[in-house]
Amino acid sequence: MKTLVLPPDQAALAYAKELIEAGEVVAFHTETVYGLGADARNDAAVRKIFALKGRPQDNPLIAHVHENYDISALVETPPYTAALRKAFLPGPLTMVYPSKGQVSPAVSCGLETLSIRVPASPTAQAFLRTVNVPVAAPSANRSKHVSPVTAQHVLDDFNGDIPLILDGGPSQGGIESTVLDCTGAVPQILRAGLVTREMIASVVGDCGVYHMRAGEKPRSPGMAYKHYAPGCRTAFFRAQNVEDAVRCYGREKSVGGTPYFLAEHAVCRTLSGYACFDLGSTPEEMAANLYAMLRAGECSATLLIGIEPCARGGVMDGVRNRLLRAFGQSEGDHET
Ligand code: TXA
Ligand code: MG
């Protein structure tokens, strides 16, 4: 199959609608990462997403809708959720609600909840308005690979396997949406992202953060899997161990390898003369650069040497979570 990469003009949107109605998948831009979408009501179409990605059968998908879609047909909406929708949607916040069972059971992998996201990207909004059905979509990467933030990244993973990528340019947010469980009395963050705990608490007074305990069945199954891994060897060092990281770089070089550092701007400045991917200075810059640099790293480096950024809290929670997991580190090991 030929994979078309098209800007979201009228012809492309009409083709996308045709594909979705025929039970095909369509990749599309969002402001966080690109998604791989299918009609959430169509069992066979949803299963196609799992098959294409090689995604574990117990990791539920998010249903995406346009900003005027009436979600009360799909889910129960606890009263406090109205203020959150008003404050943050459309935007990078996914809310998990009690499901009314109106989409394929494959979307939520048999759970009694359904997660809904209203992306802000004009390309995503145009696509969702045109198809006017809930679109189940995970990130458009092969399972466990780094999430895609350009149409080219999607093509790198799925060229020839999907019919269409709606190209809205680079995803500026850079890390996936915050996933917020809204089934309890107080909302609880299942996956950190650009809408932070502090921002949510400022609207509804309180917001919990879910931490999976050892041996426990995860509330957000995706968090239990190794994720975001670049396709090259990796090493990881804490901020205070930069000298060890430099020795590691030297060893790789001495055996003919091509090492690269991946570090925040302040650290890169101290590493002049070394090959370095500079994540930037602010948490937002680091979020926007992380996946593109992990993907560039796997193309150029034999060994990608990550150095832990110093900042904590807010958007940095999401950035740290993705960075540590890309380098095979558990967050617990690195709390100080
Ligand atoms: O920014 C994003 O959220 C992107 C774009 C494409 O919208 N999507 C995305 O989807 O990151 P995915 O499938 O890669 O990650 C969805 C996460 C997983 O960790 C999954 O376990 C969790 O959301 N999730 C989905 N539905 C859930 C539910 N009903 N209950 C708990 N967790 C859920
Ligand atoms: Mg994903």
Side-chain angles (χ1 to χ4, degrees), residues 33-34 53 55 59 138-148 176 191 227-228 291:
V33 302
Y34 275 71
K53 282 191 56 122
R55 184 175 175 102
N59 191 10
S139 48
N141 52 281
R142 299 269 178 202
S143 192
K144 303 187 178 55
H145 193 206
V146 180
S147 296
E176 300 85 347
R191 177 176 75 182
H227 249 77
Y228 321 116
Y291 290 153

Short mmCIF file of all heavy atoms in Angstrom, two decimals, residues 33-34 53 55 59 138-148 176 191 227-228 291, ligand 2:
data_model
loop_
_atom_site.label_atom_id
_atom_site.label_comp_id
_atom_site.label_asym_id
_atom_site.label_seq_id
_atom_site.Cartn_x
_atom_site.Cartn_y
_atom_site.Cartn_z
N VAL A 33 1.55 14.57 20.16
CA VAL A 33 2.27 13.65 19.27
C VAL A 33 1.26 13.22 18.20
O VAL A 33 0.07 13.45 18.35
CB VAL A 33 2.79 12.39 20.04
CG1 VAL A 33 3.71 12.79 21.20
CG2 VAL A 33 1.64 11.53 20.56
N TYR A 34 1.74 12.62 17.10
CA TYR A 34 0.81 12.14 16.07
C TYR A 34 0.03 10.92 16.60
O TYR A 34 0.56 10.11 17.37
CB TYR A 34 1.56 11.76 14.79
CG TYR A 34 1.81 12.95 13.89
CD1 TYR A 34 2.73 13.94 14.24
CD2 TYR A 34 1.10 13.09 12.69
CE1 TYR A 34 2.95 15.04 13.41
CE2 TYR A 34 1.32 14.19 11.86
CZ TYR A 34 2.23 15.16 12.23
OH TYR A 34 2.44 16.25 11.43
N LYS A 53 0.42 -1.69 15.50
CA LYS A 53 1.41 -1.21 16.46
C LYS A 53 2.16 -2.34 17.15
O LYS A 53 3.22 -2.14 17.71
CB LYS A 53 0.71 -0.37 17.56
CG LYS A 53 0.36 1.03 17.14
CD LYS A 53 -0.07 1.87 18.34
CE LYS A 53 0.93 1.94 19.46
NZ LYS A 53 1.37 3.30 19.82
N ARG A 55 0.64 -3.65 19.71
CA ARG A 55 0.33 -3.14 21.05
C ARG A 55 -0.26 -4.25 21.92
O ARG A 55 -1.12 -4.99 21.47
CB ARG A 55 -0.68 -2.01 20.93
CG ARG A 55 -1.05 -1.30 22.23
CD ARG A 55 -1.96 -0.14 21.88
NE ARG A 55 -2.51 0.57 23.01
CZ ARG A 55 -2.05 1.75 23.45
NH1 ARG A 55 -1.01 2.31 22.89
NH2 ARG A 55 -2.65 2.38 24.45
N ASN A 59 -3.81 -2.73 26.89
CA ASN A 59 -3.45 -1.31 27.03
C ASN A 59 -4.48 -0.46 26.28
O ASN A 59 -4.43 -0.36 25.06
CB ASN A 59 -2.04 -1.08 26.48
CG ASN A 59 -1.52 0.30 26.83
OD1 ASN A 59 -2.13 1.02 27.63
ND2 ASN A 59 -0.41 0.68 26.24
N PRO A 138 -4.07 5.69 19.58
CA PRO A 138 -2.85 5.77 20.38
C PRO A 138 -1.84 6.64 19.63
O PRO A 138 -2.13 7.11 18.51
CB PRO A 138 -2.37 4.32 20.41
CG PRO A 138 -2.79 3.78 19.07
CD PRO A 138 -4.07 4.51 18.69
N SER A 139 -0.67 6.84 20.20
CA SER A 139 0.40 7.51 19.46
C SER A 139 0.78 6.64 18.26
O SER A 139 0.74 5.41 18.33
CB SER A 139 1.60 7.73 20.39
OG SER A 139 1.91 6.53 21.08
N ALA A 140 1.16 7.30 17.15
CA ALA A 140 1.37 6.59 15.89
C ALA A 140 2.81 6.08 15.74
O ALA A 140 3.51 6.42 14.80
CB ALA A 140 1.00 7.51 14.73
N ASN A 141 3.23 5.28 16.71
CA ASN A 141 4.55 4.64 16.68
C ASN A 141 4.37 3.14 16.88
O ASN A 141 3.35 2.71 17.43
CB ASN A 141 5.43 5.18 17.82
CG ASN A 141 4.73 5.10 19.17
OD1 ASN A 141 3.88 5.95 19.48
ND2 ASN A 141 5.04 4.07 19.95
N ARG A 142 5.35 2.35 16.43
CA ARG A 142 5.33 0.93 16.79
C ARG A 142 5.40 0.85 18.31
O ARG A 142 6.08 1.65 18.96
CB ARG A 142 6.54 0.21 16.19
CG ARG A 142 6.58 0.27 14.68
CD ARG A 142 5.88 -0.90 14.02
NE ARG A 142 5.93 -0.75 12.58
CZ ARG A 142 5.09 -1.34 11.74
NH1 ARG A 142 4.11 -2.11 12.19
NH2 ARG A 142 5.21 -1.16 10.45
N SER A 143 4.72 -0.12 18.88
CA SER A 143 4.68 -0.26 20.33
C SER A 143 6.11 -0.23 20.91
O SER A 143 7.01 -0.87 20.35
CB SER A 143 3.99 -1.59 20.68
OG SER A 143 3.70 -1.63 22.04
N LYS A 144 6.29 0.51 21.97
CA LYS A 144 7.55 0.66 22.72
C LYS A 144 8.56 1.60 22.06
O LYS A 144 9.54 2.00 22.66
CB LYS A 144 8.23 -0.68 23.01
CG LYS A 144 7.34 -1.63 23.77
CD LYS A 144 8.06 -2.87 24.19
CE LYS A 144 7.13 -3.78 24.98
NZ LYS A 144 5.89 -4.11 24.25
N HIS A 145 8.34 1.98 20.78
CA HIS A 145 9.26 2.91 20.13
C HIS A 145 8.93 4.34 20.59
O HIS A 145 7.91 4.57 21.23
CB HIS A 145 9.14 2.76 18.60
CG HIS A 145 10.24 3.43 17.83
ND1 HIS A 145 10.10 3.87 16.55
CD2 HIS A 145 11.51 3.74 18.18
CE1 HIS A 145 11.23 4.41 16.14
NE2 HIS A 145 12.10 4.34 17.11
N VAL A 146 9.82 5.25 20.24
CA VAL A 146 9.63 6.67 20.58
C VAL A 146 8.39 7.21 19.86
O VAL A 146 8.19 6.94 18.67
CB VAL A 146 10.88 7.47 20.14
CG1 VAL A 146 10.72 8.93 20.48
CG2 VAL A 146 12.14 6.88 20.75
N SER A 147 7.57 8.00 20.56
CA SER A 147 6.37 8.59 19.94
C SER A 147 6.76 9.56 18.83
O SER A 147 7.81 10.20 18.89
CB SER A 147 5.53 9.31 21.00
OG SER A 147 5.06 8.40 21.95
N PRO A 148 5.90 9.69 17.80
CA PRO A 148 6.22 10.52 16.63
C PRO A 148 5.77 11.97 16.80
O PRO A 148 4.64 12.23 17.20
CB PRO A 148 5.41 9.86 15.52
CG PRO A 148 4.23 9.28 16.23
CD PRO A 148 4.64 8.95 17.63
N GLU A 176 3.09 13.23 25.29
CA GLU A 176 1.69 12.87 25.23
C GLU A 176 0.88 13.60 26.30
O GLU A 176 1.41 14.05 27.32
CB GLU A 176 1.51 11.35 25.43
CG GLU A 176 2.21 10.49 24.41
CD GLU A 176 3.65 10.23 24.75
OE1 GLU A 176 4.21 10.90 25.64
OE2 GLU A 176 4.23 9.33 24.10
N ARG A 191 -0.99 9.75 34.07
CA ARG A 191 0.21 9.99 33.25
C ARG A 191 0.45 11.49 33.23
O ARG A 191 -0.43 12.26 32.84
CB ARG A 191 -0.01 9.47 31.83
CG ARG A 191 1.18 9.75 30.89
CD ARG A 191 1.00 9.13 29.51
NE ARG A 191 0.06 9.86 28.70
CZ ARG A 191 -0.30 9.51 27.46
NH1 ARG A 191 0.20 8.41 26.92
NH2 ARG A 191 -1.16 10.24 26.79
N HIS A 227 8.79 1.87 27.30
CA HIS A 227 8.23 2.77 26.31
C HIS A 227 9.31 3.67 25.76
O HIS A 227 10.32 3.88 26.39
CB HIS A 227 7.22 3.69 27.00
CG HIS A 227 5.82 3.44 26.61
ND1 HIS A 227 5.11 2.39 27.10
CD2 HIS A 227 4.99 4.09 25.77
CE1 HIS A 227 3.89 2.44 26.60
NE2 HIS A 227 3.79 3.47 25.79
N TYR A 228 9.02 4.30 24.67
CA TYR A 228 9.78 5.44 24.18
C TYR A 228 11.25 5.10 23.93
O TYR A 228 12.11 5.96 23.99
CB TYR A 228 9.72 6.61 25.19
CG TYR A 228 8.37 6.79 25.85
CD1 TYR A 228 8.20 6.62 27.22
CD2 TYR A 228 7.27 7.14 25.07
CE1 TYR A 228 6.95 6.81 27.81
CE2 TYR A 228 6.03 7.32 25.67
CZ TYR A 228 5.88 7.15 27.03
OH TYR A 228 4.67 7.32 27.60
N TYR A 291 11.41 13.87 21.97
CA TYR A 291 11.20 12.73 21.06
C TYR A 291 11.93 12.91 19.74
O TYR A 291 12.47 11.95 19.19
CB TYR A 291 9.71 12.51 20.82
CG TYR A 291 8.98 11.96 22.03
CD1 TYR A 291 7.62 12.20 22.20
CD2 TYR A 291 9.63 11.20 22.99
CE1 TYR A 291 6.93 11.70 23.29
CE2 TYR A 291 8.96 10.70 24.09
CZ TYR A 291 7.61 10.95 24.24
OH TYR A 291 6.93 10.46 25.31
MG MG B 2 1.95 5.71 23.12
#
